[in-house]
Amino acid sequence: GAVVSQHPSRVICKSGTSVKIECRSLDFQATTMFWYRQFPKQSLMLMATSNEGSKATYEQGVEKDKFLINHASLTLSTLTVTSAHPEDSSFYICSALKPRDSYYEQYFGPGTRLTVT
Amino acid sequence: AQTVTQSQPEMSVQEAETVTLSCTYDTSESDYYLFWYKQPPSRQMILVIRQEAYKQQNATENRFSVNFQKAAKSFSLKISDSQLGDAAMYFCGRGGSQGNLIFGKGTKLSVKP
C-alpha cells in the first residue's frame, strides 16, 4: 500500500510559539491531502482540505489564521500551528488521496502528538 | 445533516468468535462510499473495508464483511474468527465525491483470550 509520513511524530512547544508539522506522500503524488485532529478517546475531526497549488479549504469553526496549511508540492503539505496554546494540544493526523482504479483511496500518516506547555 | 452514528462505544468478543459492530449514516449525496477504519494503540489508521454505495453486493475482506442496507442507511461490520490483533478502535465513516471523510465516534473492540 501507499505510504504517508509525518514529521515530527511528537513535539512539545511552549505557549505562544509556532510549530510546523509535515505530511509527505512517499511513493505517490497527492494533489489533495487532509488534516485531522483527534482528541483523546475521540474520533477524527476534519480540519481542512489541502490542495496542491491553491488555498486550503477549512472546515467550519477552524481558524485559518491559526492553522496555516501550505501544499507546496504534490508530495508535501505542512500544517503550522501559530501562537500555540495548551488547548491546541492534540493528535494531528494527515492523509493523502491516491487514485485507485475508479476511485480515490485515502492513506493516513502515523500522526503527530502536539503538547503545548 | 451529514452524520455517522456508532451506537456502541465499546464491544467485547471472545477469541475465535464473531462480533458485529453497528453503524448508521445520513447523507444527501447520491455518490458516496462507506468504510471501516481500524485504529490500534499505535494510532495508525488502517482501512479495514470499503463499500461503494452504488454496489448492492456486500463487500468482504477475508474475516471482515459488511451488511450494507442502503434504504435503512445502515453499514455494520462483521468480524469472524476474532483474533487478539483485532482489538482496536473501529471507526465507521462516509466518503464523498471530494474525497473528504466523515467519521463516527468509534467503537472500542476488546478481544478476550
Side-chain angles (χ1 to χ4, degrees):
Chain A
V3 179
V4 175
S5 70
Q6 277 185 246
H7 177 79
S9 57
R10 291 175 177 263
V11 59
I12 300 173
C13 70
K14 293 186 176 181
S15 186
T17 62
S18 296
V19 60
K20 180 184 288 187
I21 302 170
E22 293 185 348
C23 178
R24 293 182 184 273
S25 55
L26 298 184
D27 54 356
F28 66 100
Q29 293 182 331
T31 55
T32 302
M33 292 183 175
F34 300 95
W35 286 95
Y36 297 86
R37 184 173 181 175
Q38 186 178 31
F39 288 107
K41 298 184 179 181
Q42 293 190 24
S43 186
L44 281 71
M45 289 184 55
L46 179 65
M47 297 175 65
T49 302
S50 171
N51 294 298
E52 187 269 336
S54 64
K55 291 183 178 180
T57 303
Y58 291 82
E59 294 299 302
Q60 193 172 8
V62 177
E63 299 176 59
K64 59 181 66 177
D65 294 332
K66 181 169 188 59
F67 299 99
L68 301 179
I69 292 172
N70 183 21
H71 195 152
S73 77
L74 289 173
T75 59
L76 173 65
S77 175
T78 60
L79 168 68
T80 301
V81 183
T82 63
S83 186
H85 288 95
E87 57 264 30
D88 299 324
S89 298
S90 188
F91 194 68
Y92 293 87
I93 305 176
C94 74
S95 68
L97 278 185
K98 180 181 180 182
R100 179 176 174 182
D101 297 331
S102 60
Y103 62 90
Y104 286 88
E105 186 159 338
Q106 194 160 148
Y107 292 88
F108 285 84
T112 296
R113 182 177 301 282
L114 170 63
T115 303
V116 184
T117 61
Chain B
Q2 314 280 348
T3 59
V4 177
T5 303
Q6 292 180 250
S7 59
Q8 306 153 318
E10 295 188 23
M11 290 285 284
S12 180
V13 63
Q14 203 72 34
E15 193 176 7
E17 296 295 310
T18 296
V19 64
T20 298
L21 308 184
S22 302
C23 175
T24 58
Y25 65 94
D26 194 11
T27 183
S28 57
E29 296 186 33
S30 58
D31 182 18
Y32 62 95
Y33 60 94
L34 302 161
F35 57 82
W36 282 92
Y37 272 91
K38 168 184 176 182
Q39 188 180 42
S42 69
R43 306 192 76 169
Q44 173 71 57
M45 296 291 283
I46 302 167
L47 179 65
V48 175
I49 199 164
R50 174 192 170 110
Q51 171 92 38
E52 299 290 336
Y54 69 87
K55 291 185 177 179
Q56 293 184 334
Q57 187 172 7
N58 289 326
T60 62
E61 288 287 341
N62 300 312
R63 298 183 294 107
F64 300 87
S65 62
V66 298
N67 183 4
F68 177 40
Q69 301 290 326
K70 190 172 184 178
K73 293 183 177 169
S74 170
F75 184 63
S76 61
L77 174 70
K78 185 172 81 172
I79 305 174
S80 304
D81 186 24
S82 297
Q83 300 176 0
L84 295 178
D86 295 333
M89 283 291 291
Y90 285 81
F91 293 101
C92 173
R94 181 189 64 76
S97 57
Q98 303 302 314
N100 54 311
L101 306 181
I102 298 174
F103 291 91
K105 291 188 175 182
T107 297
K108 183 178 180 180
L109 178 66
S110 301
V111 181
K112 297 179 180 178

